Amino acid sequence: MNQSELYVSLDIGSSCIKVLIGEMNDNSLHVIGVGNVKSSGIRKGAIVDIEATVQSIKKAVSEAERMIGMSIHEIVLGIPANLANVQHVKGVVAVNREDREITDGDLERVIESAEVMSIPPERELINIVPKQFIVDHLEEIKDPRGMIGTRLEMDGTMMTTSKTILHNVLRCVERAGLQIREIYLQPLAGGYFALTEDEKNHGTAYVDIGGGSTTIAIFHEGHLINTSVIPVGGDHITKDLSIVLKTPTEQAEMIKIKYGHAFYDDASDDELFEVPVIGADMKEQYSQRYIAEIIGVRLEELFELVLEEFYRMGLQDLPGGVVLTGGVSKLEGIGQLARHILQTRVRLYTPDYIGVREPQYTTAVGLIRYAYKEDVFYGKIGDSHALTQMVPSDIVTSTKKQKQAGHDTTTDNKESAMTKAKKFFDKFFE
């Protein structure tokens, strides 16, 4: 197994924290480890309890480690789109070499030049994604390396987020004992692979319905152009069911998953089930159609909020329609209801990989595939040190003593791979 092609993604969600270990080989993903635990300390996509979140991350990491018998050190981190901002940026540099051939160094410099634009002190840069490169006024170049020119320009997209949100996420990752390989905005990574090339080019809304919130990302001409978060998700449906049926929250969640239906007209009157009542030694009987009305009302409200966001973003038409994903999108009938409310084409997306054929894993899968795509483009394959073989505790203790005595067993290559993560942590925790 080639470690240079191993990636570990961390998706911190309101309802679940997912850790995925994947092996990439020639653009093919093979999932070899999965950790999925109920999250604590997160509300509506934002961290509200550092210690509870850290413990949830550790549990998810431990689950994934046990599946493959290896320790996780380095992760690809997804940042939620809460308070994220997407804006156009431009970089310009002169080509360095005497023969005027554009190199990796020129590519790095032109992207860095786009970062010098003023960012408010309360915000932090997450990603800059090139849209096109321009060599001596020749436009629409995807990769200028190897070309001859004197002036290199880049049109790109800058994504920033609240420094507080990023600070809290990084703090949790650090306290969970993990290093960061790369950081990406969650809907950028998830949407990039959930959508087809035509959908990304024509104009499509990627809608990820999670437990505590719903993320909207608009793709056009191949790139993410806008994003928004609605603080309504599957947990609200569960709460509604719990209140109306007078049943414990855990039972309401089980009922939603096992019997839930989003579209009242297609729900069954014949499918019956019993529900325990809080504070009573009795059970009530309900039909699928009865709870479909409860679920449908909440989802109608959600899709109407999605429509309002479309209008706020100035979207008059979506030629590519809407692509739905996230844990809630697994509900029967949700596609029909979405088409009815949104009045456009709606497609459901579920990752097609063994072990993660569930829409709740879309972001975790997208993070791995997006990181691999970036590594291939920038020639960074082989830099990963995501995993190491698990060793007995006495060996770990011995290693720690060697380090304390001044004998660092970490290789120079590994130190180099951690440079980017160290920059993040040094900035916030120095």
Side-chain angles (χ1 to χ4, degrees):
M1 192 175 293
N2 189 346
Q3 283 194 352
S4 68
E5 297 174 353
L6 287 173
Y7 294 82
V8 181
S9 65
L10 174 61
D11 174 18
I12 302 174
S14 298
S15 58
C16 297
I17 291 179
K18 277 85 69 179
V19 172
L20 237 60
I21 305 172
E23 182 182 13
M24 291 296 303
N25 186 11
D26 293 331
N27 207 35
S28 295
L29 170 63
H30 176 51
V31 177
I32 59 175
V34 181
N36 186 349
V37 302
K38 186 174 177 59
S39 57
S40 299
I42 304 172
R43 297 290 181 273
K44 299 178 181 178
I47 294 171
V48 296
D49 186 326
I50 293 286
E51 186 55 36
T53 304
V54 169
Q55 293 307 314
S56 296
I57 292 172
K58 286 182 175 180
K59 288 178 184 177
V61 168
S62 180
E63 274 192 11
E65 287 176 335
R66 284 198 299 270
M67 286 187 69
I68 62 168
M70 300 180 79
S71 296
I72 293 172
H73 299 292
E74 201 179 66
I75 53 98
V76 179
L77 176 64
I79 295 294
N82 302 49
L83 302 179
N85 185 40
V86 179
Q87 62 189 100
H88 177 263
V89 291
K90 192 175 187 68
V92 182
V93 295
V95 178
N96 265 345
R97 286 171 50 129
E98 289 185 7
D99 61 5
R100 299 305 178 193
E101 180 180 342
I102 297 170
T103 64
D104 287 326
D106 297 311
L107 208 66
E108 185 176 337
R109 287 189 305 113
V110 76
I111 293 174
E112 287 178 352
S113 72
E115 297 179 13
V116 301
M117 70 174 296
S118 177
I119 299 175
E122 72 277 5
R123 301 194 66 77
E124 190 70 31
L125 171 67
I126 308 175
N127 303 117
I128 288 185
V129 181
K131 289 183 178 179
Q132 67 165 346
F133 293 95
I134 304 169
V135 178
D136 295 342
H137 307 293
L138 178 63
E139 299 185 346
E140 298 185 9
I141 297 170
K142 297 296 183 185
D143 186 352
R145 288 171 294 187
M147 298 181 69
I148 305 298
T150 58
R151 175 186 171 97
L152 175 63
E153 302 173 55
M154 180 211 69
D155 287 330
T157 302
M158 173 186 282
M159 298 163 204
T160 63
T161 190
S162 158
K163 186 169 286 189
T164 300
I165 287 177
L166 184 59
H167 172 276
N168 288 334
V169 174
L170 293 179
R171 174 69 75 181
C172 291
V173 172
E174 181 203 35
R175 290 182 59 177
L178 300 171
Q179 299 282 350
I180 297 174
R181 176 177 172 80
E182 296 290 349
I183 297 177
Y184 301 112
L185 198 66
Q186 288 175 352
L188 169 68
Y192 197 88
F193 290 99
L195 273 58
T196 66
E197 289 301 314
D198 283 339
E199 285 170 339
K200 282 182 287 190
N201 286 322
H202 294 164
T204 301
Y206 167 81
V207 179
D208 184 343
I209 311 176
S213 61
T214 296
T215 301
I216 302 169
I218 309 301
F219 286 79
H220 183 57
E221 295 182 349
H223 299 280
L224 176 66
I225 62 169
N226 210 338
T227 186
S228 178
V229 176
I230 298 170
V232 178
D235 292 345
H236 296 80
I237 297 172
T238 302
K239 186 176 180 181
D240 292 344
L241 288 171
S242 177
I243 292 171
V244 175
L245 303 182
K246 300 180 179 63
T247 194
T249 303
E250 289 185 3
Q251 285 292 322
E253 178 69 16
M254 183 275 292
I255 291 163
K256 179 183 74 175
I257 294 170
K258 190 172 182 180
Y259 302 105
H261 203 292
F263 200 57
Y264 179 82
D265 293 349
D266 290 349
S268 171
D269 264 329
D270 299 326
E271 188 167 355
L272 304 175
F273 52 91
E274 292 186 331
V275 178
V277 179
I278 295 175
D281 292 329
M282 58 177 291
K283 293 184 177 181
E284 296 283 354
Q285 191 176 71
Y286 296 97
S287 69
Q288 184 185 58
R289 178 164 288 191
Y290 182 86
I291 66 167
E293 186 171 8
I294 302 168
I295 295 170
V297 168
R298 177 62 77 173
L299 284 175
E300 281 183 24
E301 176 197 22
L302 172 59
F303 289 132
E304 284 168 0
L305 290 172
V306 170
L307 267 182
E308 288 179 13
E309 283 300 302
F310 290 168
Y311 296 145
R312 186 187 64 79
M313 293 175 181
L315 299 173
Q316 303 300 320
D317 185 28
L318 285 169
V322 172
V323 174
L324 280 184
T325 192
V328 179
S329 69
K330 193 179 176 182
L331 273 172
E332 278 191 78
I334 195 168
Q336 295 96 307
L337 182 64
R339 293 182 194 101
H340 176 70
I341 302 296
L342 301 176
Q343 292 294 299
T344 188
R345 291 178 301 283
V346 174
R347 179 172 70 87
L348 304 181
Y349 175 80
T350 299
D352 190 19
Y353 301 99
I354 295 173
V356 291
R357 289 193 175 107
E358 298 278 347
Q360 63 176 314
Y361 290 110
T362 297
T363 295
V365 167
L367 287 167
I368 290 177
R369 294 199 61 194
Y370 197 89
Y372 177 77
K373 177 187 78 74
E374 292 274 283
D375 285 352
V376 169
F377 183 79
Y378 292 108
K380 295 193 290 184
I381 293 294
D383 289 345
S384 176
H385 297 271
L387 306 173
T388 59
Q389 293 290 343
M390 286 183 174
V391 294
S393 58
D394 57 337
I395 297 179
V396 174
T397 303
S398 174
T399 303
K400 286 182 178 178
K401 288 180 179 178
Q402 290 180 40
K403 289 186 177 181
Q404 289 168 358
H407 304 291
D408 192 344
T409 58
T410 305
T411 65
D412 292 339
N413 287 338
K414 186 170 181 179
E415 288 177 352
S416 175
M418 298 302 165
T419 300
K420 179 174 287 190
K422 187 175 184 302
K423 286 180 181 178
F424 277 107
F425 288 121
D426 285 348
K427 188 168 185 178
F428 286 109
F429 309 127
E430 61 186 357

